[in-house]
């Protein structure tokens, strides 16, 4: 019985993460379309668009327990996709399900200043970002 309970718990977690991922893709796609862009994806890339330049997005479902590992995965995926797509000047954007908590707040500066990846997070179907990201990604109409 314990194995069966664990199986259903894992399946529920996977389902929640999948739904959160889809919601993030849809939310960002909607903003891109509202600004005249055509959001695209392929088997690797969650979302990409060509506006004034190329933009590559990676969406990650997150919670307090997995945010660090999910951010690491997302960052490495973005660098890999930019390389594989031969888009060295593409702007990289990591979109996470929730804002970084107090114990992970240091990651914002690391991601944006050191790694030069813009971080966007969802907050009740509203997209948020730092001042830097809001200025660089005006087409997403991010909240502060």
């Amino acid at each position: 019985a314990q194995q069966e309970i664990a199986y259903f718990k894992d399946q529920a977690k996977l389902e929640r993460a999948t739904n959160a991922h889809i919601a993030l893709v849809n939310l960002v796609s909607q903003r891109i379309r509202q600004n005249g862009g055509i959001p695209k994806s392929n088997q690797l890339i969650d979302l990409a668009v060509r506006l004034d330049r190329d933009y590559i997005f990676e969406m990650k479902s997150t919670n307090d327990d997995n945010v660090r590992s999910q951010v690491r995965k997302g960052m490495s995926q973005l660098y890999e996709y930019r390389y594989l797509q031969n888009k060295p000047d593409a702007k990289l954007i990591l979109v996470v399900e929730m804002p970084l908590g107090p114990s992970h707040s240091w990651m914002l500066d690391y991601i944006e200043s050191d790694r030069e990846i813009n971080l966007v997070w969802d907050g009740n179907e509203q997209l948020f970002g730092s001042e830097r990201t809001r200025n660089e990604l005006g087409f997403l109409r991010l909240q502060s």
Side-chain angles (χ1 to χ4, degrees):
Q2 206 131 9
Q3 284 180 329
E4 197 169 309
I5 290 170
Y7 170 78
F8 285 120
K9 269 178 115 173
D10 290 345
Q11 197 165 9
K13 283 182 185 178
L14 179 61
E15 211 170 292
R16 190 206 67 77
T18 300
N19 290 336
H21 188 271
I22 291 168
L24 290 173
V25 170
N26 289 339
L27 186 58
V28 173
S29 293
Q30 179 183 18
R31 297 284 175 91
I32 290 170
R33 280 193 295 284
Q34 288 171 345
N35 283 279
I38 300 171
K40 298 179 181 182
S41 64
N42 64 29
Q43 70 275 13
L44 294 176
I45 297 174
D46 287 340
L47 210 51
V49 67
R50 172 85 178 149
L51 296 168
D52 57 325
R53 67 185 298 179
D54 290 310
Y55 296 89
I56 300 173
F57 295 83
E58 177 61 28
M59 281 49 166
K60 288 294 177 195
S61 61
T62 55
N63 60 49
D64 290 334
D65 296 329
N66 73 1
V67 66
R68 194 170 184 170
S69 64
Q70 287 290 80
V71 166
R72 283 178 174 171
K73 287 177 192 173
M75 288 171 39
S76 64
Q77 286 171 282
L78 284 165
Y79 291 129
E80 182 180 308
Y81 301 160
R82 182 167 62 184
Y83 175 80
L84 291 174
Q85 297 296 312
N86 194 27
K87 302 280 185 183
D89 297 324
K91 187 72 182 152
L92 304 178
I93 302 103
L94 179 61
V95 183
V96 295
E97 183 180 2
M98 55 188 1
L100 300 174
S103 63
H104 296 103
S105 61
W106 63 270
M107 294 174 81
L108 178 63
D109 186 57
Y110 170 66
I111 294 165
E112 293 195 342
S113 298
D114 191 70
R115 300 290 84 209
E116 296 184 0
I117 294 174
N118 290 96
L119 182 67
V120 172
W121 59 91
D122 184 19
N124 203 19
E125 296 189 24
Q126 295 290 319
L127 294 175
F128 293 84
S130 68
E131 181 178 357
R132 171 187 173 166
T133 293
R134 289 191 312 272
N135 291 336
E136 291 182 17
L137 306 176
F139 66 95
L140 290 179
R141 296 186 328 275
L142 302 173
Q143 305 293 312
S144 56

